[in-house]
Amino acid sequence: MPPTPENKMSASSSASGIDGTQGGSRDRILILDFGSQYTQLIARRIRERHVYCEIHPGTMDLDAVRAWEPSGIVLSGGPSSVFDPNAPQLQPEIVDLGVPVLGICYGLQLLAHVLGGVVERADDREYGRAVFKIQRDDPLLAAMSHGSERVVWMSHGDRVLSLPPGFVVLGTSDSSPFAAVRHADRPIWGLQFHPEVVHTEGGAELLSSFVIDLCGCRPDWTMETFVDQTTNAIREQVGDGIAVCGLSGGVDSSVAAALVHHAVGDQLRCIFVDNGLLRRGERADVERTFGDTLGVPLVTVDAANRFLGALKGVTDPERKRKIIGHTFIEVFEEEAEKLGGADFLVQGTLYPDVIESVSVKGPSATIKTHHNVGGLPEQMKLRLVEPLRELFKDEVREVGRRLALPETAVGRHPFPGPGLAIRILGEVTGERLSMLRGADAIVVQEIREAGLYDELWQAFAVFLPIQSVGVMGDERTYDNAIAVRCVTSVDAMTADWARLPDEVLASISSRIINEVKGINRVVYDISSKPPATIEWE
């Protein structure tokens, strides 16, 4: 049954930082991450129900959990076994906070393990679709009737052998006698399957039942309320100060700039740094959109030689990112001084940037430093304003549309802050940049003409420092290769390579080889994320 107001932790009327809880409801869900590849999907499903949530490490300190004041807690799955010596553990006090708790897969096993049940290693790992049979009516399964069956997605190596005292069975599968359980008197539920994946029938409705019906969260976290709340938070943070924003022409920085300009007007000064690592026509597009269309104060800085000089001889991708981040800040601080000084730096950091750059799974490794969160110097004069750091990309696009940004800016494919530098494997040179710009422009043009641009998450070219023999005309060539990368995705946390029509690939290849001097071979990247990342570096 849903918790009574007395059982819920008290809500505060304000929050620090800039997130989706400013100035309104504190109804929000805390997701404790134990390493599941699906954790971000849990967050997406909850936000689709217009309820705010955040992902934090499963090792989050108990006092920090109390201070966060969640309306409910979700324990994610994870690859570990509760028997592993270094497996992440659950603090038993978490379930004594008086808010509803939902354990998913490994989260269920942790609940059973710490509350007095028995967990055992399964003879065979259960992975894939299974038939879930509902044995008992419960508010968590409100969309499912007693005796009905649903297809669900399983992915586990351990299983619960016996339940802790006070728990009852809600549903079973052929291999999981405790596929869904709950405590008879306390607001604690557990699922062996993954409701967040699309393969689970009714999974989104199940999560909705948990966060809205059982946790009592009001579904009022929308991008409209986000804009209103974040506008107030920006005004409070910036005060009478001056903020500067680096425009790259990408969706993230464009929406961040528009939002801050909406909040503080001409207290925002936009600086467009031409770092020499941009796509063809980027500079003109930015100047036209912000300087002409939106009327945002904009200064363009030509720093191409400075960036290329700093990158000379550098081949390691992490060093590239850090050099670009440091040089970017140096240019910014110098330009801010010319503008009469500035106090804040606006960045278009998104939630996936934060997740990828900061390990939230305890022992897991950082995949790569993101330009917005890991490439900045430790000592920086400007204080950061990151109004989008709790949003996924589709949410950012919606914010941009609400701020009346043109669709050409809002609907663009993501472009990395380090620019073409991380799409050139090896050293970045003027010659390689020229070849990559030409190839990249052809890829985008062909994708647009085929009517595929809006169906793809990203489409771009990568310069490979690999020379191979070719024949052009009657002459032998020994030139470079271009890799074409086109992927589909929802939020960049996972991605699949796009199955482009043969004729589109043929046209892209033919044009690049014929029109870009120095390229005689084109390959198509058919790697998904995971195991690969979307960008090559």
Side-chain angles (χ1 to χ4, degrees):
M1 63 186 66
T4 63
E6 290 77 16
N7 289 333
K8 293 183 65 175
M9 298 165 66
S10 61
S12 171
S13 60
S14 63
S16 60
I18 294 178
D19 62 27
T21 65
Q22 304 302 335
S25 168
R26 291 294 297 277
D27 295 349
R28 55 187 187 174
I29 300 297
L30 173 63
I31 302 170
L32 293 180
D33 183 16
F34 294 99
S36 171
Q37 62 178 315
Y38 303 132
T39 301
Q40 290 79 25
L41 288 178
I42 300 173
R44 292 296 303 119
R45 298 294 175 259
I46 293 174
R47 291 193 182 191
E48 286 169 0
R49 261 43 189 183
H50 302 301
V51 173
Y52 185 73
C53 63
E54 284 185 15
I55 300 169
H56 287 270
T59 55
M60 188 177 184
D61 181 79
L62 184 63
D63 289 337
V65 174
R66 286 196 184 99
W68 204 79
E69 298 179 344
S71 298
I73 299 172
V74 175
L75 311 176
S76 84
S80 300
S81 164
V82 296
F83 303 106
D84 294 341
N86 298 319
Q89 297 299 317
L90 173 69
Q91 302 169 85
E93 296 83 359
I94 290 288
V95 299
D96 296 326
L97 294 177
V99 300
V101 175
L102 173 65
I104 296 175
C105 194
Y106 182 73
L108 164 62
Q109 294 155 20
L110 281 176
L111 286 171
H113 188 59
V114 302
L115 295 179
V118 178
V119 179
E120 66 173 357
R121 294 186 186 275
D123 293 334
D124 296 303
R125 178 180 177 85
E126 187 177 18
Y127 183 84
R129 289 176 173 83
V131 177
F132 173 62
K133 304 174 180 117
I134 293 87
Q135 306 292 341
R136 183 191 301 259
D137 290 331
D138 188 83
L140 181 68
L141 308 176
M144 308 176 187
S145 60
H146 176 254
S148 64
E149 297 182 352
R150 295 291 179 93
V151 173
V152 299
W153 186 261
M154 295 283 191
S155 178
H156 61 98
D158 291 351
R159 67 175 183 177
V160 178
L161 181 63
S162 64
L163 292 175
F167 276 79
V168 296
V169 178
L170 301 180
T172 64
S173 72
D174 289 342
S175 300
S176 297
F178 307 115
V181 303
R182 71 157 296 169
H183 194 282
D185 304 311
R186 303 170 67 190
I188 307 171
W189 287 264
L191 301 172
Q192 187 58 77
F193 58 89
H194 288 271
E196 68 273 22
V197 303
V198 295
H199 310 296
T200 293
E201 295 177 352
E205 289 77 10
L206 188 154
L207 286 172
S208 179
S209 294
F210 178 71
V211 301
I212 295 177
D213 300 331
L214 299 177
C215 298
C217 290
R218 289 165 289 185
D220 58 5
W221 192 75
T222 65
M223 290 305 98
E224 182 177 4
T225 59
F226 172 84
V227 170
D228 293 340
Q229 295 163 5
T230 306
T231 296
N232 293 330
I234 293 169
R235 287 171 181 162
E236 182 178 347
Q237 183 184 12
V238 174
D240 295 328
I242 297 297
V244 291
C245 177
L247 285 174
S248 67
V251 176
D252 307 344
S253 68
S254 296
V255 174
L259 183 54
V260 175
H261 185 256
H262 174 73
V264 299
D266 288 350
Q267 286 175 253
L268 172 68
R269 317 287 171 78
C270 287
I271 300 174
F272 177 70
V273 177
D274 185 350
N275 57 13
L277 308 172
L278 305 172
R279 291 171 292 189
R280 183 177 291 173
E282 200 88 55
R283 179 169 174 170
D285 288 343
V286 171
E287 292 175 335
R288 180 170 53 252
T289 298
F290 283 86
D292 300 337
T293 305
L294 299 180
V296 177
L298 176 65
V299 173
T300 299
V301 182
D302 189 346
N305 292 336
R306 184 167 175 174
F307 277 84
L308 290 178
L311 290 168
K312 185 176 177 60
V314 177
T315 59
D316 179 73
E318 279 293 284
R319 281 196 64 204
K320 287 182 187 178
R321 288 175 178 270
K322 291 185 181 297
I323 287 171
I324 293 168
H326 281 241
T327 306
F328 176 80
I329 291 299
E330 290 172 2
V331 173
F332 247 78
E333 290 184 337
E334 292 170 7
E335 198 60 37
E337 290 296 328
K338 295 178 184 177
L339 293 173
D343 309 287
F344 299 93
L345 171 64
V346 178
Q347 285 209 133
T349 308
L350 305 191
Y351 202 30
D353 305 338
V354 177
I355 294 170
E356 285 200 352
S357 299
V358 181
S359 172
V360 296
K361 309 178 185 71
S364 67
T366 297
I367 299 170
K368 61 186 177 183
T369 299
H370 192 275
H371 61 280
N372 279 344
V373 287
L376 302 179
E378 293 182 4
Q379 298 298 322
M380 187 176 65
K381 298 176 184 177
L382 303 176
R383 286 166 286 171
L384 287 178
V385 178
E386 298 178 301
L388 309 176
R389 69 177 287 121
E390 307 301 340
L391 300 187
F392 290 95
K393 179 72 78 172
D394 58 328
E395 295 170 326
V396 172
R397 294 188 197 278
E398 186 179 344
V399 169
R401 293 183 179 105
R402 289 188 176 277
L403 294 171
L405 273 172
E407 191 61 31
T408 52
V410 175
R412 295 187 68 182
H413 288 176
F415 185 63
L420 299 181
I422 59 168
R423 292 179 179 174
I424 293 176
L425 274 60
E427 183 180 5
V428 179
T429 67
E431 182 182 20
R432 289 177 172 182
L433 281 166
S434 178
M435 286 186 279
L436 181 55
R437 277 196 195 94
D440 187 77
I442 290 170
V443 171
V444 174
Q445 183 181 3
E446 289 293 321
I447 292 297
R448 285 190 181 279
E449 290 184 357
L452 299 172
Y453 188 85
D454 292 335
E455 297 179 18
L456 301 177
W457 179 263
Q458 279 179 272
F460 58 90
V462 179
F463 178 88
L464 306 181
I466 301 170
Q467 292 182 302
S468 64
V469 175
V471 178
M472 299 185 74
D474 294 322
E475 296 183 356
R476 174 184 182 276
T477 62
Y478 193 60
D479 285 332
N480 300 284
I482 286 288
V484 175
R485 180 74 159 146
C486 298
V487 299
T488 58
S489 181
V490 174
D491 51 31
M493 302 309 304
T494 60
D496 194 16
W497 62 278
R499 277 65 169 174
L500 297 185
D502 292 348
E503 59 271 19
V504 175
L505 288 173
S507 182
I508 289 172
S509 176
S510 176
R511 286 193 57 194
I512 289 175
I513 291 173
N514 283 283
E515 297 177 28
V516 182
K517 185 178 180 181
I519 302 298
N520 69 351
R521 191 174 298 272
V522 174
V523 298
Y524 189 56
D525 185 346
I526 59 170
S527 308
S528 297
K529 176 187 179 181
T533 54
I534 295 177
E535 299 288 347
W536 277 49
E537 288 192 345

